[in-house]
Amino acid sequence: SELVDARIAALQAELAVVRAEMQHFTYAVSHDLRAPLRHIVSYAQLVEEDAGPQLNEEVRGFLSTITDSARNMGVLLDGLAAMARVGTAPVELVPISLQDLLGPMCSELSAQNPQRAIDWRIDQDLPRVLADEALLREALGHLLGNALKFSAPRECAVVEIKVAPADEDGCVVLSIQDNGVGYNPTQQAQLFKVFGRLHSSTQFGGIGMGLVLTQKMLERFGAAVSTQGAVDGGCCVRLLLKRA
């Protein structure tokens, strides 16, 4: 038993070192690559300003592509930096009322999208859970934002938020079901990969980091996330949370 405990402790220490190294690597890469990106954008703009009248339309298109691609890479680096910050953010477990948290968040999203028809269907008397408030709020922000984004083609976005008992003792399942475009279940594995996208950027914005960040945030305080979807049949995201 002592040998097993010692081995577990050694593996946990080794895992902590690997995680710290990965966090440092991601953070360093996301920052060190910014200087050359700024140079690419700046010099492409200088060429366009100084030689623009002498360039034909095709060449000006090339310069525009260079600039757009560099800026897009900057957005991708922002995603990597965000993931690095999640891994090092302090965690404080406190009782949180899902009712008090979700109600204002949904109202705020409706106010931010006045042109959209949004039907929030939220269970009454949602329970209290044990979580880190900042991380849970940000994770829910990603998920609710996704529900609205992928239901954009619908005349009215319908988002159902429910809680059910979990198979695991002391836990509850919070589900967020939308009526959006859904996804092909055979591509499920792509959802939680860095920059994983199941829809083209021309259809829906974003860089494919929302669910990855959500998963990392929830893992920090012992929660978990899973999804289920169908083509043109919406998506259901389920969060396994500890009951307060």
Side-chain angles (χ1 to χ4, degrees), residues 174-187:
L174 173 69
S175 64
I176 302 173
Q177 170 76 56
D178 64 58
N179 66 332
V181 298
Y183 61 88
N184 188 334
T186 61
Q187 298 177 296

Side-chain angles (χ1 to χ4, degrees), residues 44 47-48 51-67:
V47 170
E48 188 172 9
Q54 306 169 40
L55 303 175
N56 61 42
E57 185 176 347
E58 184 180 24
V59 175
R60 286 197 298 270
F62 293 159
L63 286 174
S64 178
T65 298
I66 291 172
T67 303

